[in-house]
Amino acid sequence: GIMRDRGYEPLTEIGREMLAKGREEGTAAGEVRGLRAAVATTCRAAGVSWTDERAAVVATMSAADLEALLAALVRDRAWPSH
């Protein structure tokens, strides 16, 4: 095919595994970015103050923790006190 004619070789099994892992990591990183944005938007929509301190906390949270925070924000319309 044209790719091989131009010197491109098909991916090896290791190359395919690395590419798949990179895609998974990229998807996970995108999910976390989206959840962080959703937390900020939910705070603003719920009248919860969005501070630099809260943004810093959210920047360190995992996807699971962000999902739990979002659920609490929607349920309580307040920043969790714990």
Side-chain angles (χ1 to χ4, degrees), residues 40-54:
T41 300
T42 301
C43 281
R44 291 181 186 111
V48 176
S49 63
W50 182 247
T51 64
D52 290 343
E53 181 180 286
R54 289 178 177 171

Side-chain angles (χ1 to χ4, degrees), residues 36-73:
R36 288 178 183 149
V39 166
T41 300
T42 301
C43 281
R44 291 181 186 111
V48 176
S49 63
W50 182 247
T51 64
D52 290 343
E53 181 180 286
R54 289 178 177 171
V57 169
V58 166
T60 67
M61 295 175 79
S62 69
D65 289 341
L66 289 165
E67 288 172 354
L69 175 58
L70 267 174
L73 287 167

Side-chain angles (χ1 to χ4, degrees), residues 4-79:
R4 190 164 290 193
D5 294 343
R6 292 187 178 171
Y8 292 100
E9 292 296 321
L11 287 175
T12 63
E13 183 176 346
I14 292 172
R16 283 190 299 273
E17 288 174 9
M18 290 174 64
L19 181 61
K21 183 174 189 221
R23 284 183 178 146
E24 287 174 18
E25 289 172 359
T27 299
E31 177 185 9
V32 168
R33 278 194 304 274
L35 286 166
R36 288 178 183 149
V39 166
T41 300
T42 301
C43 281
R44 291 181 186 111
V48 176
S49 63
W50 182 247
T51 64
D52 290 343
E53 181 180 286
R54 289 178 177 171
V57 169
V58 166
T60 67
M61 295 175 79
S62 69
D65 289 341
L66 289 165
E67 288 172 354
L69 175 58
L70 267 174
L73 287 167
V74 169
R75 180 187 64 238
D76 303 331
R77 294 191 144 323
W79 190 263

